[in-house]
Amino acid sequence: MTEILITDDQRKRGQELYEFNVLKGSVTEGKGNEVGALGEIIVWDKYKSKTKYVGSYDYDMIIKDKKIDVKTKLQNMAPEPHHRANIFAFNTKQKCDYYCFVAILTDLSKGWIIGWKGKEEFFEEAEFKKKGEVDTKGSDPTWTFKGDCYCLDNSQLDNKVK
């Protein structure tokens, strides 16, 4: 896991990255757009010398000839090994090779590149959860899934693209 202090420049570029308001199927009704873009920016900045940025629906960038889709989660604490990396069920058809999972603090001051997982591996290993189900592995016994999704613990992610 790589911790990153987010700069004002990165926050500004995250706000300017896309010219859309709400992504189709957005669970947060568009509130996560800036955070998602910021996740892409910090991954791009970390791997810039070996990365081609694409920014399509299917994948965000290419690293080592692999199509990478960055999945960013906003949270109020640093990620832990038992926290979950999630892919919403409506989002399983993206034409990427790998997912890169990122967490960003709610005040946008710090982020983490948590880990990587090949798309096929992710869905082979993931646990399916239905919308409204309680997350029995989480620290909050009242937290429920906001939509049908596939989940892996952060500890199951890889440290790099293979």
Side-chain angles (χ1 to χ4, degrees):
M1 185 175 337
T2 305
E3 182 177 295
I4 295 163
L5 295 176
I6 299 172
T7 67
D8 288 338
D9 176 65
Q10 288 172 317
R11 284 187 284 276
K12 181 180 178 201
R13 287 186 291 140
Q15 290 172 337
E16 297 170 349
L17 188 58
Y18 295 115
E19 295 179 11
F20 54 73
N21 292 322
V22 180
L23 285 172
K24 183 179 177 185
S26 173
V27 175
T28 62
E29 299 177 350
K31 294 176 187 150
N33 293 353
E34 181 183 342
V35 172
L38 185 54
E40 292 175 29
I41 294 290
I42 64 175
V43 173
W44 163 257
D45 285 355
K46 176 75 176 162
Y47 300 99
K48 190 181 259 184
S49 65
K50 50 186 157 188
T51 303
K52 176 184 175 193
Y53 186 79
V54 177
S56 75
Y57 170 78
D58 288 311
Y59 55 95
D60 302 308
M61 56 194 71
I62 297 173
I63 300 175
K64 294 184 177 180
D65 295 323
K66 303 289 185 194
K67 299 170 190 159
I68 311 295
D69 194 60
V70 178
K71 299 297 185 187
T72 306
K73 188 184 289 187
L74 188 66
Q75 52 191 63
N76 60 6
M77 65 181 73
E80 296 286 340
H82 67 278
H83 289 169
R84 303 290 194 106
N86 301 324
I87 304 287
F88 283 104
F90 68 80
N91 216 6
T92 60
K93 293 184 169 66
Q94 289 176 292
K95 296 174 181 83
C96 61
D97 301 312
Y98 270 84
Y99 295 113
C100 176
F101 294 93
V102 174
I104 294 179
L105 286 180
T106 52
D107 68 0
L108 309 182
S109 65
K110 193 182 290 186
W112 293 264
I113 298 173
I114 302 167
W116 308 78
K117 195 59 128 177
K119 180 182 176 181
E120 288 182 24
E121 275 183 289
F122 182 89
F123 291 109
E124 287 170 6
E125 297 174 20
E127 180 181 8
F128 181 76
K129 294 293 189 176
K130 291 200 126 327
K131 179 180 180 176
E133 235 180 290
V134 174
D135 185 3
T136 55
K137 289 189 171 186
S139 54
D140 178 355
T142 64
W143 192 89
T144 59
F145 289 94
K146 307 297 183 240
D148 292 354
C149 65
Y150 296 85
C151 335
L152 281 179
D153 288 354
N154 288 343
S155 62
Q156 294 175 270
L157 301 176
D158 301 322
N159 292 324
K160 61 183 177 178
V161 175
K162 295 178 183 176

